[in-house]
Amino acid sequence: MEQRFARESRCFKTSRIFPTDVNNHNTLFGGKLMSYIDDIASIAAHKHCRRSVVTASTDSVDFLYPIHTSDSVCLESFVTWTGKSSMEVFVKVVTEDLKTGARKIAATSFLTFVALDDNKVPVEVPHVIPETEEETKLHESAPQRAEMRRIRRGESKRLAGFFTMKYPWE
């Protein structure tokens, strides 16, 4: 089976925070950050398998610190673990106060992507090889997260069977 180093999928995105990007608390709108996260994570997944990918789940987005208009955000993403056709991608969001240079990890996120062939059928992906301490820790703890995803997905499917699909006016 083909293998690739985690570093081969690593990518970065830096953005400035503008007044149009903030919410009523004058901090970065969470949905805007989630869009940045999904974008950079999809690029990492695509780089890892060199195939089209789809987001299978956003497993978590943990907002740790607010992001202000005086800040920039730098998102770093890379593939941490692979299944047969799926890839777990980690995204780290570092905020930097542009006036002082002070940095914080403002958010972290895990997403799962599935690789598709030209007919939109899931295909096998290369195994990922961690090298750094950070990559290794995330790689080693990935099976636990995969099991939690499996359980949560089953619960979501069970719950979805309970919900109505009627509109209120029907």
Side-chain angles (χ1 to χ4, degrees):
M1 178 53 155
E2 190 179 354
Q3 300 182 68
R4 292 210 173 96
F5 291 105
R7 68 177 142 80
E8 294 179 77
S9 67
R10 192 175 302 271
C11 42
F12 299 88
K13 173 188 183 91
T14 303
S15 295
R16 173 176 227 121
I17 307 307
F18 289 105
T20 56
D21 298 328
V22 300
N23 58 27
N24 58 314
H25 302 289
N26 210 31
T27 58
L28 180 63
F29 180 58
K32 181 81 168 184
L33 183 60
M34 290 171 70
S35 175
Y36 289 164
I37 287 169
D38 190 47
D39 181 41
I40 195 77
S42 71
I43 294 169
H46 202 135
K47 285 175 66 171
H48 180 77
C49 66
R50 297 296 175 190
R51 298 276 193 161
S52 292
V53 298
V54 292
T55 308
S57 67
T58 300
D59 306 326
S60 65
V61 178
D62 294 310
F63 300 99
L64 306 174
Y65 290 99
I67 301 168
H68 304 278
T69 53
S70 59
D71 297 335
S72 68
V73 288
C74 181
L75 290 82
E76 175 185 357
S77 67
F78 57 92
V79 173
T80 59
W81 185 80
T82 56
K84 184 175 179 180
S85 62
S86 64
M87 296 160 280
E88 179 189 78
V89 179
F90 174 67
V91 180
K92 175 175 44 175
V93 179
V94 178
T95 185
E96 180 177 347
D97 184 310
L98 293 172
K99 293 177 185 172
T100 68
R103 293 182 185 161
K104 293 181 188 171
I105 295 179
T108 59
S109 183
F110 287 95
L111 301 91
T112 302
F113 289 84
V114 173
L116 303 175
D117 67 13
D118 293 338
N119 297 314
K120 303 202 183 327
V121 175
V123 293
E124 285 191 45
V125 297
H127 292 293
V128 66
I129 303 168
E131 296 176 284
T132 68
E133 186 177 344
E134 187 176 71
E135 292 167 356
T136 301
K137 181 166 183 66
L138 292 172
H139 184 76
E140 289 173 351
S141 57
Q144 290 176 299
R145 287 188 300 276
E147 179 61 15
M148 290 187 319
R149 276 192 294 276
R150 187 189 67 72
I151 292 168
R152 189 181 68 243
R153 184 173 174 83
E155 283 296 309
S156 291
K157 283 184 175 182
R158 184 186 63 75
L159 199 54
F162 171 77
F163 295 136
T164 180
M165 290 177 266
K166 291 183 178 181
Y167 293 113
W169 57 86
E170 293 183 322

Coordinates of all heavy atoms in Angstrom, one line a residue, residues 64-104:
L64 N -11.3 28.3 21.3 CA -10.6 28.4 22.5 C -10.4 29.9 23.0 O -10.5 30.2 24.2 CB -9.2 27.8 22.4 CG -9.2 26.3 22.0 CD1 -7.8 25.8 21.8 CD2 -10.0 25.4 23.0
Y65 N -10.2 30.8 22.0 CA -10.1 32.2 22.3 C -10.8 33.0 21.2 O -10.8 32.6 20.1 CB -8.6 32.6 22.4 CG -7.9 32.1 23.6 CD1 -7.1 30.9 23.5 CD2 -8.0 32.7 24.8 CE1 -6.4 30.4 24.6 CE2 -7.3 32.2 25.9 CZ -6.6 31.0 25.8 OH -5.9 30.5 26.9
P66 N -11.3 34.2 21.6 CA -12.0 35.0 20.6 C -10.9 35.6 19.7 O -9.7 35.8 20.1 CB -12.7 36.1 21.4 CG -12.0 36.1 22.7 CD -11.5 34.7 22.9
I67 N -11.3 35.9 18.4 CA -10.4 36.5 17.4 C -10.9 37.9 17.1 O -12.1 38.0 16.7 CB -10.3 35.6 16.2 CG1 -9.8 34.2 16.6 CG2 -9.4 36.2 15.1 CD1 -9.9 33.1 15.5
H68 N -10.1 38.9 17.2 CA -10.5 40.3 17.0 C -10.0 40.9 15.7 O -9.2 40.3 15.0 CB -9.9 41.1 18.2 CG -10.3 40.6 19.5 ND1 -11.6 40.8 20.1 CD2 -9.7 39.8 20.4 CE1 -11.7 40.2 21.3 NE2 -10.5 39.6 21.5
T69 N -10.6 42.1 15.4 CA -10.2 42.7 14.2 C -8.7 43.2 14.1 O -8.2 43.5 13.1 CB -11.1 43.9 13.8 OG1 -11.1 44.8 15.0 CG2 -12.5 43.4 13.5
S70 N -8.1 43.2 15.3 CA -6.7 43.6 15.3 C -5.8 42.4 15.1 O -4.6 42.5 15.2 CB -6.3 44.2 16.7 OG -6.6 43.3 17.8
D71 N -6.4 41.2 14.9 CA -5.7 39.9 14.7 C -5.6 39.5 13.3 O -6.4 39.9 12.4 CB -6.4 38.8 15.5 CG -6.5 39.1 17.0 OD1 -5.6 39.8 17.5 OD2 -7.4 38.5 17.6
S72 N -4.7 38.6 13.0 CA -4.7 37.8 11.8 C -4.9 36.3 12.3 O -4.7 36.0 13.5 CB -3.4 37.9 11.0 OG -2.3 37.3 11.8
V73 N -5.3 35.5 11.4 CA -5.4 34.0 11.8 C -4.6 33.2 10.8 O -4.6 33.5 9.6 CB -6.9 33.5 11.8 CG1 -7.6 34.0 13.0 CG2 -7.6 33.8 10.5
C74 N -3.9 32.3 11.3 CA -3.1 31.4 10.5 C -3.6 30.0 10.7 O -3.6 29.5 11.9 CB -1.6 31.5 10.8 SG -0.6 30.4 9.7
L75 N -4.1 29.3 9.7 CA -4.6 28.0 9.8 C -3.6 27.0 9.3 O -3.0 27.3 8.2 CB -5.9 27.8 9.1 CG -7.1 28.5 9.7 CD1 -7.2 30.0 9.3 CD2 -8.4 27.8 9.3
E76 N -3.3 26.0 10.0 CA -2.4 24.9 9.6 C -3.2 23.6 9.6 O -3.9 23.3 10.5 CB -1.2 24.8 10.6 CG -0.3 23.7 10.3 CD 0.8 23.6 11.3 OE1 0.9 24.4 12.3 OE2 1.6 22.6 11.2
S77 N -3.0 22.9 8.5 CA -3.8 21.6 8.4 C -2.9 20.5 7.9 O -1.9 20.8 7.1 CB -5.0 21.7 7.6 OG -4.7 21.9 6.2
F78 N -3.2 19.3 8.3 CA -2.5 18.1 7.7 C -3.3 16.8 8.0 O -4.0 16.8 9.0 CB -1.0 18.0 8.2 CG -0.8 17.9 9.7 CD1 -0.8 16.7 10.4 CD2 -0.7 19.1 10.4 CE1 -0.6 16.7 11.7 CE2 -0.5 19.1 11.8 CZ -0.5 17.8 12.5
V79 N -3.0 15.8 7.2 CA -3.7 14.5 7.5 C -3.0 13.8 8.6 O -1.7 13.7 8.7 CB -3.6 13.6 6.2 CG1 -4.2 12.2 6.5 CG2 -4.4 14.3 5.1
T80 N -3.8 13.4 9.6 CA -3.2 12.7 10.8 C -3.4 11.2 10.8 O -2.6 10.5 11.5 CB -3.9 13.3 12.1 OG1 -5.3 13.0 12.0 CG2 -3.7 14.7 12.2
W81 N -4.4 10.7 10.0 CA -4.7 9.3 10.1 C -5.5 8.9 8.9 O -6.2 9.8 8.4 CB -5.5 9.0 11.4 CG -5.8 7.6 11.7 CD1 -4.9 6.7 12.2 CD2 -7.0 6.9 11.5 NE1 -5.6 5.5 12.3 CE2 -6.9 5.6 11.9 CE3 -8.2 7.3 10.9 CZ2 -7.9 4.7 11.8 CZ3 -9.3 6.4 10.9 CH2 -9.1 5.1 11.3
T82 N -5.4 7.7 8.4 CA -6.2 7.3 7.3 C -6.9 5.9 7.6 O -6.4 5.1 8.3 CB -5.4 7.1 6.0 OG1 -4.3 6.2 6.3 CG2 -4.8 8.4 5.6
G83 N -8.1 5.8 7.0 CA -8.8 4.5 7.0 C -8.6 3.9 5.6 O -7.6 4.2 5.0
K84 N -9.6 3.2 5.2 CA -9.5 2.6 3.8 C -9.6 3.7 2.7 O -8.8 3.9 1.9 CB -10.6 1.6 3.6 CG -10.5 0.9 2.3 CD -11.5 -0.3 2.1 CE -11.3 -0.9 0.8 NZ -12.2 -2.0 0.6
S85 N -10.7 4.5 2.8 CA -10.9 5.6 1.9 C -11.1 6.9 2.6 O -11.3 8.0 1.9 CB -12.2 5.3 1.0 OG -13.3 5.3 1.8
S86 N -11.0 6.9 3.9 CA -11.2 8.2 4.6 C -9.9 8.7 5.2 O -8.9 7.9 5.4 CB -12.2 8.0 5.8 OG -11.7 7.0 6.7
M87 N -9.9 10.0 5.5 CA -8.7 10.7 6.1 C -9.2 11.6 7.2 O -10.1 12.4 7.0 CB -8.0 11.5 5.0 CG -7.4 10.7 3.9 SD -7.1 11.8 2.4 CE -8.8 11.8 1.8
E88 N -8.5 11.5 8.3 CA -8.7 12.5 9.4 C -7.8 13.6 9.2 O -6.6 13.4 9.0 CB -8.5 11.9 10.8 CG -8.7 12.9 11.9 CD -8.3 12.3 13.2 OE1 -7.1 12.3 13.5 OE2 -9.2 11.9 14.0
V89 N -8.3 14.9 9.2 CA -7.5 16.0 9.0 C -7.6 16.9 10.3 O -8.7 17.2 10.8 CB -7.9 16.9 7.8 CG1 -7.1 18.1 7.6 CG2 -7.8 16.0 6.5
F90 N -6.4 17.4 10.8 CA -6.4 18.3 11.9 C -6.1 19.7 11.4 O -5.3 19.9 10.5 CB -5.2 17.8 12.8 CG -5.0 18.8 14.0 CD1 -5.9 18.9 15.0 CD2 -3.8 19.5 14.0 CE1 -5.7 19.8 16.0 CE2 -3.5 20.4 15.1 CZ -4.5 20.5 16.1
V91 N -6.8 20.6 12.0 CA -6.6 22.0 11.7 C -6.3 22.8 13.0 O -7.1 22.7 14.0 CB -7.8 22.7 11.0 CG1 -7.5 24.1 10.7 CG2 -8.1 21.9 9.7
K92 N -5.2 23.5 13.0 CA -4.9 24.4 14.1 C -5.0 25.8 13.7 O -4.5 26.2 12.6 CB -3.4 24.0 14.6 CG -2.9 24.9 15.6 CD -1.5 24.5 16.1 CE -0.5 24.1 15.0 NZ 0.8 23.8 15.5
V93 N -5.7 26.6 14.5 CA -5.9 28.0 14.2 C -5.1 28.9 15.2 O -5.4 28.8 16.4 CB -7.4 28.4 14.3 CG1 -7.6 29.9 14.0 CG2 -8.2 27.5 13.3
V94 N -4.1 29.6 14.7 CA -3.3 30.4 15.5 C -3.6 31.9 15.2 O -3.6 32.3 14.1 CB -1.7 30.2 15.2 CG1 -0.9 31.2 16.1 CG2 -1.4 28.8 15.5
T95 N -4.0 32.6 16.2 CA -4.3 34.0 16.1 C -3.1 34.8 16.5 O -2.3 34.4 17.4 CB -5.5 34.4 16.9 OG1 -5.9 35.8 16.6 CG2 -5.3 34.3 18.4
E96 N -2.8 35.9 15.8 CA -1.7 36.8 16.1 C -2.2 38.2 16.2 O -2.8 38.7 15.2 CB -0.6 36.7 15.1 CG 0.6 37.6 15.4 CD 1.7 37.5 14.4 OE1 1.7 36.5 13.6 OE2 2.6 38.4 14.4
D97 N -2.0 38.9 17.3 CA -2.3 40.3 17.5 C -1.3 41.0 16.6 O -0.1 41.0 16.9 CB -2.3 40.7 18.9 CG -2.7 42.2 19.1 OD1 -2.2 43.1 18.4 OD2 -3.5 42.4 20.0
L98 N -1.8 41.7 15.6 CA -0.9 42.4 14.6 C -0.1 43.6 15.2 O 0.9 44.0 14.7 CB -1.6 42.8 13.4 CG -2.1 41.6 12.5 CD1 -3.1 42.1 11.4 CD2 -1.0 40.8 12.0
K99 N -0.6 44.1 16.3 CA 0.0 45.2 17.0 C 1.1 44.7 17.9 O 2.2 45.3 18.0 CB -1.0 46.1 17.8 CG -2.0 46.8 16.9 CD -3.0 47.5 17.7 CE -4.1 48.1 16.8 NZ -5.2 48.7 17.6
T100 N 0.9 43.7 18.7 CA 1.9 43.2 19.7 C 2.7 42.0 19.3 O 3.7 41.7 19.8 CB 1.1 42.9 21.0 OG1 0.3 41.7 20.8 CG2 0.3 44.1 21.5
G101 N 2.1 41.2 18.3 CA 2.8 40.0 17.9 C 2.4 38.8 18.8 O 2.9 37.7 18.6
A102 N 1.6 39.0 19.8 CA 1.2 37.9 20.7 C 0.4 36.9 19.9 O -0.5 37.3 19.2 CB 0.4 38.5 21.9
R103 N 0.7 35.6 20.2 CA 0.0 34.5 19.5 C -0.7 33.6 20.5 O -0.2 33.4 21.6 CB 1.0 33.7 18.7 CG 1.6 34.4 17.5 CD 2.5 33.6 16.7 NE 3.2 34.3 15.7 CZ 4.3 34.0 15.1 NH1 4.8 32.8 15.4 NH2 4.8 34.7 14.2
K104 N -1.8 33.0 20.0 CA -2.5 32.0 20.8 C -3.1 31.0 19.9 O -3.4 31.3 18.7 CB -3.7 32.7 21.5 CG -3.4 33.6 22.6 CD -4.7 34.1 23.2 CE -4.4 35.2 24.2 NZ -5.6 35.9 24.7

